[in-house]
Amino acid sequence: MSTTQAETLTVVVERELAHPPEKVWRALTQPHLIEAWLMKSDFRAEVGAAFHMDAEWGGVDGQVLEIEPNRTLAYTWAGKGLESVVTWTLTPVGGGTRLRMEQTGFRPDQQLAYRGATAGWPRFLGALEEVLAGLD
């Protein structure tokens, strides 16, 4: 039996950040900053670039799918049997940025991964806010 897009689950986390999109973009795309809030990474902000992220719980492999600087970043997120896509959308709002993270592609039999992402992304975004607060 095949899994259709309609049968997959999605995690969405949105935050209003008191920082301009350019600053948020740096934290989403520069490896030393990604490491400070997410995971150790060899990320390159180039469409088609493959990357790996490492954490204590394991690793994630990805490939950059879409880049519109300071607006949109999308990449595959594969690890522990999960094949998903993470999309970041940055929208300028009154002196700051509305940041939307959407991770799609959780199959119904991947409840553990889905629950992990549901709990994990808000924590990661909290850490991202701390990194942003420390940037000039």
Side-chain angles (χ1 to χ4, degrees):
M1 182 175 133
S2 68
T3 301
T4 64
Q5 190 66 27
E7 293 171 323
T8 62
L9 299 168
T10 298
V11 174
V12 175
V13 179
E14 289 186 303
R15 291 277 169 95
E16 294 264 340
L17 304 171
H19 305 282
E22 297 78 13
K23 188 174 180 180
V24 177
W25 182 259
R26 285 194 351 242
L28 293 177
T29 58
Q30 294 182 2
H32 70 286
L33 296 176
I34 294 169
E35 181 175 355
W37 66 271
L38 184 59
M39 287 184 258
K40 187 167 176 50
S41 163
D42 60 357
F43 186 85
R44 283 192 344 268
E46 299 170 17
V47 171
F51 63 90
H52 182 77
M53 294 188 184
D54 255 326
E56 290 157 15
W57 52 265
V60 173
D61 289 303
Q63 183 170 19
V64 179
L65 301 174
E66 181 184 353
I67 289 180
E68 188 181 341
N70 306 318
R71 295 190 82 68
T72 307
L73 173 65
Y75 45 77
T76 60
W77 178 279
K80 297 187 183 274
L82 175 65
E83 298 287 334
S84 65
V85 174
V86 172
T87 303
W88 298 94
T89 306
L90 292 73
T91 306
V93 289
T97 304
R98 178 178 299 115
L99 180 63
R100 183 178 200 270
M101 186 292 310
E102 179 177 331
Q103 185 176 14
T104 60
F106 296 92
R107 295 188 319 266
D109 65 345
Q110 294 178 312
Q111 286 297 317
L112 191 63
Y114 176 72
R115 286 196 305 271
T118 300
W121 282 115
R123 285 199 312 270
F124 286 137
L125 266 65
L128 171 64
E129 288 190 72
E130 290 179 25
V131 168
L132 289 167
L135 286 179
D136 291 329

